[in-house]
């Protein structure tokens, strides 16, 4: 290294606790106070203890009494709180989700805890005197820049540290604008009136990057020049160098200004690497700046060529996301950029007194680190690099590449799995990560032999010499289902589900974006592969059964196939009784939905593979899940037909009963109303006049036989009868039964009205329960009709 960074004051980390095999927090020891500032050690100790407490509290499982959802605080209280109470509030917010359930937090290593403490110390340094703060910031920034430049082989360079991932690229582009357009500072965008600056980016890169770049610089989107990808030679995800060369040449002839080329060393999803060496030659020939981004840039730390002081830099600038690569949260991003080559400046400029214009360009673009800021942004990275050392950085990046290599080797044996990411070791697979570390390698060989991620998907059977570009839409659902199952069943290998426009849904494993510093072990990879193999068997079985499923359903007179766009299972089927398909949709929809809902409820008691679904037409159907090779589709569909017929028959009985009850109530109400009118006419209206009616009733009492008789409903015969026999004999005798020998049969009820059971099947089983089967003539104090099942007699409830 150019300089060896000094340790952080006299504060030392304790050794790891070996008794239980777990890492303790960096409980920092307080340094001697003679001639030192004791507050630094106190802040470090307290910050370390808080980080440890939060980590231990999250990792400790909660008891049922502790897992109680608390009401969210809308406004902060005005009363003063103790620091422990504040930390406890923070702990509650971190350790529980929105539903109040405990969250799982990843364990923090010693380096990560040290970085957390350094953030507290960075905030403390902001309260120091201006001169001391500037001295500390300059020291931390200088040491960090020299170390990173040495590791990544860009010695004559400077670094800009930033939190936003794209901020470094924005300032690099602004610096090149100042270089290409000397009047840009004075005239702004008016400088581009005669010649438009152009930014070149591959179409495989996210469009949002160049859009964000134009918004920040105030450039129109016409400045963006999308470069196509390879179609005949090389990877289909990398930039077409021949097309880029033609575009640079044509734009130079038309008077436009090639400004910046953005290349990828590891495309955002698939991890492919552009031909950086060839693109760099083109940029140098057309006086264009080359900026490289991507996880494969971390491979620059592996070979021995970085120790050569005369090594050619990879690009003019590139962005490093060290926090993701090392698995340490809280680290800033770094944008390394080369210093302007004084040999390219003409002789007249070299003779001028003072600094050159080119040397002031980074300052104009804001590519300098403000050493007067109240926050030292480089301090967390400075402490992390010291704690890891070069061997630690090399080991972490080596383990990331090794994880991709292991997973690729495991997936390469499956015939129905297509890997879309580059092959580790190159096309021949001759180089391994270990060989790249032990032997010198060129930059081109380095980028070709490493893979920063593994992207794969499940594909159908292919015929000989068949080339598959994009999988069928149904396989997108299958891949999405596979990804969700792997996330649940094998969480030790973090898998994310992505969507590629040209190939469909894919599954991606990227160790350089993992939140943990330790990569999965060999045993964890084996467990993941076993789980994947089991799910592939289920996927192939489901596809095999799907054609048989459709054939049987189409041949059935009572079943119809239902397309489910968002369902990866076997599909959906709807039970539809014969003759119903000819009915109008409005007449069929409600009845059919309730019939299939009852069918699903009955099937769930037999097999949990059945579930309730809804087709694109809004009608309910029976949904089939994934199947195993031992599943019998014909038996399952036969079961649906039998259960559906049983549900249909039960529905008919209930529908008939509900119609009889409904018409019985209507008939009883009409009879009561008619009989009441007749009674009023016979008795005379004067008996119902207040006071006068009482005198008339006293003078001429009414006979016992007068009054309105109640009504009872006989469900077995469908007859509404008057209730005089029930009140007279105080018993219920079913009509049509033979009385015992020697007994006298009661007279036939004076009023009997037949209720027809013929009805249209417009009601459903679900609507039966909502029907009111009680009739009550409240104003006339009539008996209430109550209905019992068809096998029992009808009971009448007295008012």
């Amino acid at each position: 290294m150019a300089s060896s960074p000094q340790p952080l004051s006299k504060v030392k980390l304790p050794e790891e606790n070996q008794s239980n095999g777990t890492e303790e927090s960096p409980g920092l020891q307080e340094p001697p106070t003679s001639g030192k500032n004791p507050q630094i050690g106190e802040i470090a100790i307290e910050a370390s203890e808080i980080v440890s407490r939060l980590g231990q509290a999250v990792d400790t499982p909660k008891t049922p009494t502790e897992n109680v959802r608390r009401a969210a605080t809308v406004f902060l209280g005005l009363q003063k709180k103790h620091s422990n109470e504040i930390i406890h509030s923070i702990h509650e917010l971190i350790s529980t989700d929105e539903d109040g359930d405990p969250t799982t937090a990843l364990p923090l290593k010693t380096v990560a805890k040290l970085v957390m403490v350094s953030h507290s110390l960075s905030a403390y340094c902001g309260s120091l005197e201006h001169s001391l703060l500037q001295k500390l910031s300059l020291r931390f920034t200088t040491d960090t820049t020299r170390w990173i430049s040495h590791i990544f082989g860009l010695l004559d360079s400077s670094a800009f540290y930033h939190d936003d991932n794209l901020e470094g690229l924005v300032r690099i582009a602004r610096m090149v604008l100042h270089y290409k357009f000397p009047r840009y500072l004075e005239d702004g965008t008016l400088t581009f009136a005669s010649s438009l600056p152009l930014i070149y980016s591959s179409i495989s890169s996210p469009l949002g990057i160049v859009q964000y770049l134009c918004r920040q610089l105030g450039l129109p989107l016409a400045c963006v020049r999308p470069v196509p990808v390879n179609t005949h030679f090389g990877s289909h995800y990398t930039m077409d160098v021949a097309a880029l060369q033609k575009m640079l040449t044509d734009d130079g002839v038309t008077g436009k200004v090639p400004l910046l080329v953005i290349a990828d060393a590891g495309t955002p999803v698939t991890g492919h690497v552009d031909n950086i060496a060839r693109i760099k030659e083109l940029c140098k020939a057309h006086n264009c700046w080359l900026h490289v981004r991507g996880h494969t840039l971390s491979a620059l730390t592996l070979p021995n060529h970085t120790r050569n002081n005369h090594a050619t830099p990879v690009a003019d600038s590139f962005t490093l996301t060290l926090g993701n690569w090392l698995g340490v949260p809280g680290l800033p991003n770094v944008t390394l950029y080369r210093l302007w080559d004084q040999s390219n400046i003409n002789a007249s400029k070299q003779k001028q007194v003072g600094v050159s214009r080119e040397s002031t360009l980074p300052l104009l673009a804001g590519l300098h680190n403000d050493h007067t800021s109240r926050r030292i942004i480089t301090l967390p990275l400075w402490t992390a690099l010291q704690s890891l050392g070069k061997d630690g950085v090399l080991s972490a990046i080596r383990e990331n590449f090794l994880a991709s290599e292991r997973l690729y080797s495991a997936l390469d044996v499956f015939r129905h799995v297509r890997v879309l990411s580059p092959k580790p070791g190159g096309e021949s697979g001759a180089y391994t990560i270990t060989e790249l570390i032990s032997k010198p390698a060129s930059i081109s060989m380095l980028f070709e032999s490493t893979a920063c991620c593994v992207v794969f998907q499940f594909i159908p059977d292919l015929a000989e010499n068949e080339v598959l570009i994009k999988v069928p839409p149904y396989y997108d659902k299958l891949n999405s289902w596979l990804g969700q199952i792997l996330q649940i069943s094998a969480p030790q290998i973090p898998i994310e589900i992505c969507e590629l426009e040209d190939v469909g849904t894919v599954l991606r494993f990227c160790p350089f974006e993992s939140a943990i510093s330790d990569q999965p072990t060999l045993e964890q990879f084996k467990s993941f592969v076993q789980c994947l193999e089991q799910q592939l068997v289920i996927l192939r079985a489901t596809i095999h059964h799907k054609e048989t499923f459709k054939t049987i359903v189409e041949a059935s007179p009572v079943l119809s196939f239902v397309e489910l766009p968002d369902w990866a299972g076997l599909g959906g089927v709807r039970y539809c009784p014969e003759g119903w398909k000819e009915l109008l949709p409005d007449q069929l929809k409600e009845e059919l939905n309730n019939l299939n809902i009852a069918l699903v409820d009955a099937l769930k008691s037999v097999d949990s593979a059945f579930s309730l679904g809804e087709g694109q037409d809004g009608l309910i159907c029976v949904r089939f899940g994934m199947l195993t090779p031992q599943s019998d589709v014909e038996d399952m569909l036969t079961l649906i037909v039998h259960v559906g017929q049983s549900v249909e028959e039960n529905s008919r009985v209930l529908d008939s009963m509900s119609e009889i009850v409904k018409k019985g109530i209507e008939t009883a109400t009409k009879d009561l109303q008619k009989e009441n009118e007749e009674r009023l006419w016979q008795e005379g209206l004067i008996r119902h006049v207040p006071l006068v009616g009482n005198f008339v009733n006293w003078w001429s009492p009414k006979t016992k036989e007068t009054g309105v008789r109640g009504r009872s409903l006989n469900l077995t015969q469908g007859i509404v009868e008057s209730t005089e026999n029930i009140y007279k004999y105080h018993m219920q005798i079913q009509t049509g039964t033979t009385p015992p020998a020697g007994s006298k049969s009661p007279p036939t009820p004076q009023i009997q009205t037949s209720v027809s059971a013929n009805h249209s099947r417009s009601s459903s089983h679900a609507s039966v329960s909502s029907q009111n089967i009680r009739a009550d003539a409240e104003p006339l104090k009539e008996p209430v009709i109550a209905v019992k099942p068809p096998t029992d007699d009808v009971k009448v409830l007295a008012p």
Side-chain angles (χ1 to χ4, degrees), residues 332-628:
N333 299 312
V334 184
T335 296
L336 277 179
Y337 60 95
R338 65 171 176 83
L339 300 177
W340 291 94
D341 189 1
Q342 297 296 325
S343 61
N344 294 333
I345 305 175
N346 55 42
S348 61
K349 289 186 178 181
Q350 292 183 12
K351 295 179 181 180
Q352 67 183 4
V353 179
V355 297
S356 63
R357 175 180 176 272
E358 285 75 10
S359 62
T360 63
L361 294 180
L363 187 63
L364 291 175
L367 278 170
H368 66 286
N369 297 282
D370 187 6
H371 299 300
T372 62
S373 174
R374 290 301 174 181
R375 173 173 171 251
I376 305 179
I377 191 174
T378 57
L379 179 56
L381 183 57
W382 186 82
T383 55
L385 293 177
Q386 281 201 107
S387 178
L388 290 171
K390 184 174 182 180
D391 293 337
V393 174
L394 176 63
S395 176
I397 294 177
R398 173 185 175 274
E399 289 298 322
N400 292 343
F401 283 117
L402 186 59
S404 296
E405 186 178 294
R406 289 172 176 172
L407 184 58
Y408 187 98
S409 301
L411 297 177
D412 198 33
V413 301
F414 294 108
R415 184 167 61 92
H416 293 86
V417 173
R418 176 173 65 172
V419 182
L420 303 170
S421 54
K423 183 179 181 180
E427 292 298 328
S428 60
Y431 293 93
T432 62
I433 298 298
T434 304
E435 292 174 346
L436 290 174
I437 293 176
S438 59
K439 301 176 183 179
S442 64
I443 294 179
S444 299
M445 181 185 298
L446 185 67
F447 286 162
E448 292 175 359
S449 303
T450 54
C452 62
C453 64
V454 179
V455 179
F456 61 98
Q457 66 176 174
F458 175 72
I459 60 174
D461 290 322
L462 300 179
E464 188 176 359
N465 299 328
E466 182 182 359
V467 178
L468 177 66
I469 298 177
K470 187 173 183 179
V471 297
Y474 178 61
Y475 280 79
D476 288 338
K477 295 180 286 187
L478 294 178
N479 279 285
S480 178
W481 176 86
L482 176 61
Q484 296 176 30
I485 293 298
L486 292 177
Q487 289 173 348
I488 297 174
S489 303
Q492 66 273 13
I493 309 296
I495 295 293
E496 58 178 334
I497 304 172
C498 304
E499 188 75 23
L500 290 178
E501 183 178 359
D502 52 342
V503 296
T505 302
V506 297
L507 308 181
R508 181 172 181 263
F509 166 70
C510 184
F512 287 90
E513 296 178 3
S514 176
I516 58 176
S517 57
D518 293 337
Q519 293 303 325
T521 61
L522 285 175
E523 294 298 327
Q524 290 176 331
F525 274 111
K526 291 180 181 179
S527 176
F528 174 83
V529 172
Q530 291 176 359
C531 178
L532 175 63
E533 186 175 6
Q534 295 173 359
Q535 306 310 320
L536 291 177
V537 172
I538 295 176
L539 289 174
R540 291 196 297 269
T542 302
I543 295 174
H544 173 72
H545 291 312
K546 195 173 184 66
E547 294 300 327
T548 306
F549 177 76
K550 287 185 177 180
T551 303
I552 298 176
V553 170
E554 291 174 357
S556 175
V558 295
L559 298 179
S560 58
F561 183 76
V562 180
E563 290 288 348
L564 301 174
D566 299 328
W567 183 247
L570 194 62
V573 62
R574 182 178 296 120
Y575 180 83
C576 184
E578 294 187 52
W580 284 26
K581 294 182 180 180
E582 290 76 15
L583 298 177
L584 295 177
D586 294 339
Q587 297 174 333
L588 174 66
K589 185 174 181 180
E590 183 181 358
E591 181 81 10
L592 198 59
N593 279 346
N594 291 297
L595 182 61
N596 281 273
I597 290 174
L599 175 59
V600 173
D601 293 339
L603 290 173
K604 280 184 178 180
S605 61
V606 179
D607 193 340
S608 59
F610 301 103
S611 59
L612 192 65
E614 183 176 346
Q616 293 178 321
D617 54 0
L619 297 179
I620 301 299
C621 65
V622 182
R623 194 167 56 182
F624 282 73
M626 310 299 288
L627 300 184
T628 61

